[in-house]
Amino acid sequence: MPTNATEREMLLAAIDVRETEEEMGRQAARAAFAALKEAIDARGVAVALFASAPSQHATWRALIDLWRAMPEAQQTAMGNAIIAFHMDEYLGLPEGAPQSFGKVLGERLYPQLRIPAENIHFINSGVAREEAQTIGRALQAGADPQSFAAPLAEMERQAKAEAARVCALFEAHGGRFDLVLGGIGKIPHVAFNDPPARFDEPETVRVVRLNEESRIQQVADGEFENVEDVPTHAMTFSLRPIFEAGRIVIVVPRALKANSVRDTLEGPITEMAPASGLRLPEVLPKVLFFLDRAAAAKSPLALEAFARTGAA
């Protein structure tokens, strides 16, 4: 829980709870749009990090509506000023898999925001595909780690090279996001930074092994039919560049995340609950939490915020 009245009021001011997921999405989209516009007006460019998950779709729809409400020339001009990165990506998906986060963003969001291809920086989902699939099968079978040591080393080599490429692009665009638009996981994590995840992680983009709860969540979200189909490894932006962003818009709908919302907002700030780091003193002033009532249901703070904002 917040340790004093000032921190409590700050946190309450950062929480916006709406009755439905669509209402939540509209509020979150307005905040994301404002952050993009502020950066573009100030510097001529907005560097943004986007998550891809079903939790984001209502916000995407509302953001696209805000775009389409502008004159066509303004839509294009604003899209041209956005530099887009995506938050995380699986390793080992089959080529063209619909679960690829980059593929989803590239089809459902970026074109509608008129972001040109040269401004979009994907994490390559094809990196070490065969090696990652081999490792995944071995882990599912409970194989001795020595039996897949060679493909693991090769996967890590290729993934680290890809991470270095993405990091270089990020640094070339200033090394700081103007906007992070994402959510929190059921653990709760941010991106694929499963616990324990360092708040001050030195690597900007990490290669991670997903824990079982993260993989189960992907099935619960309807992204995969069975947990065995969920890749065991991924690449992700670490917590540090996310927490250093100018504006962090966190969107969390649905009862599935109610415990995670409570732990994020009211549990101890600990690297064992990575999303709790959003309440760090240097981070919280930049964070806005957007929830629907179902996600807020187990958090007294969120329910208090709903009493303030839910009927607005």
Side-chain angles (χ1 to χ4, degrees):
M1 284 290 290
T3 57
N4 57 61
T6 301
E7 182 187 354
R8 187 175 188 280
E9 281 304 311
M10 235 179 118
L11 185 53
L12 275 170
I15 302 169
D16 186 301
V17 184
R18 301 287 156 166
E19 184 69 45
T20 69
E21 187 170 342
E22 290 302 313
E23 291 175 281
M24 173 212 69
R26 286 192 289 272
Q27 295 299 118
R30 290 186 188 109
F33 184 90
L36 292 169
K37 189 172 187 306
E38 181 180 351
I40 292 167
D41 288 347
R43 300 188 294 111
V45 66
V47 183
L49 181 67
F50 295 95
S52 175
S55 64
Q56 303 298 299
H57 293 171
T59 303
W60 291 1
R61 289 191 290 271
L63 190 58
I64 291 165
D65 286 344
L66 289 174
W67 232 261
R68 290 174 176 166
M70 294 188 290
E72 190 167 342
Q74 191 176 349
Q75 293 181 42
T76 300
M78 197 162 171
N80 284 341
I82 296 173
I83 306 296
F85 289 82
H86 77 288
M87 193 172 278
D88 42 22
E89 186 59 272
Y90 296 111
L91 294 176
L93 285 175
E95 187 172 358
Q99 296 91 348
S100 164
F101 296 138
K103 177 180 174 63
V104 174
L105 283 161
E107 292 177 352
R108 297 187 61 167
L109 183 65
Y110 294 158
Q112 287 78 7
L113 302 188
R114 303 200 177 194
I115 305 174
E118 61 269 23
N119 287 12
I120 299 169
H121 302 303
F122 292 111
I123 298 172
N124 181 3
S125 64
V127 165
R129 177 176 285 126
E130 292 183 8
E131 289 81 3
Q133 290 173 350
T134 297
I135 294 161
R137 288 191 295 267
L139 287 169
Q140 293 289 353
D144 182 335
Q146 288 302 315
S147 69
F148 56 87
L152 180 61
E154 178 59 18
M155 183 193 73
E156 290 179 343
R157 184 191 70 78
Q158 291 188 39
K160 286 180 179 179
E162 173 64 4
R165 183 188 71 83
V166 175
C167 289
L169 289 165
F170 177 54
E171 293 300 325
H173 291 294
R176 179 180 176 273
F177 294 115
D178 297 294
L179 168 68
V180 169
L181 179 57
I184 61 175
K186 195 168 173 285
I187 296 176
H189 63 200
V190 177
F192 272 140
N193 294 290
D194 290 342
R198 290 178 57 180
F199 295 153
D200 61 349
E201 170 62 51
E203 292 184 282
T204 300
V205 178
R206 306 169 57 215
V207 182
V208 295
R209 178 176 170 182
L210 305 181
N211 69 27
E212 284 307 292
E213 194 163 356
S214 279
R215 297 175 72 225
I216 290 167
Q217 181 186 319
Q218 306 310 311
V219 178
D221 280 347
E223 297 296 284
F224 293 87
E225 189 170 336
N226 303 294
V227 71
E228 293 79 14
D229 300 327
V230 183
T232 57
H233 288 75
M235 296 178 65
T236 184
F237 271 89
S238 71
L239 295 175
R240 179 182 50 78
I242 292 171
F243 289 175
E244 290 176 352
R247 173 60 76 195
I248 306 165
V249 176
I250 298 295
V251 185
V252 193
R254 306 176 192 173
L256 176 71
K257 304 282 184 70
N259 287 332
S260 182
V261 167
R262 179 198 60 213
D263 294 345
T264 296
L265 297 178
E266 299 176 55
I269 297 176
T270 169
E271 292 176 340
M272 294 306 296
S276 68
L278 294 163
R279 288 169 32 222
L280 288 166
E282 67 274 20
V283 181
L284 182 57
K286 305 180 294 183
V287 181
L288 295 172
F289 296 95
F290 293 92
L291 316 171
D292 67 4
R293 193 172 184 180
K298 295 186 179 181
S299 165
L301 268 176
L303 290 174
E304 184 175 341
F306 177 72
R308 296 185 182 190
T309 67

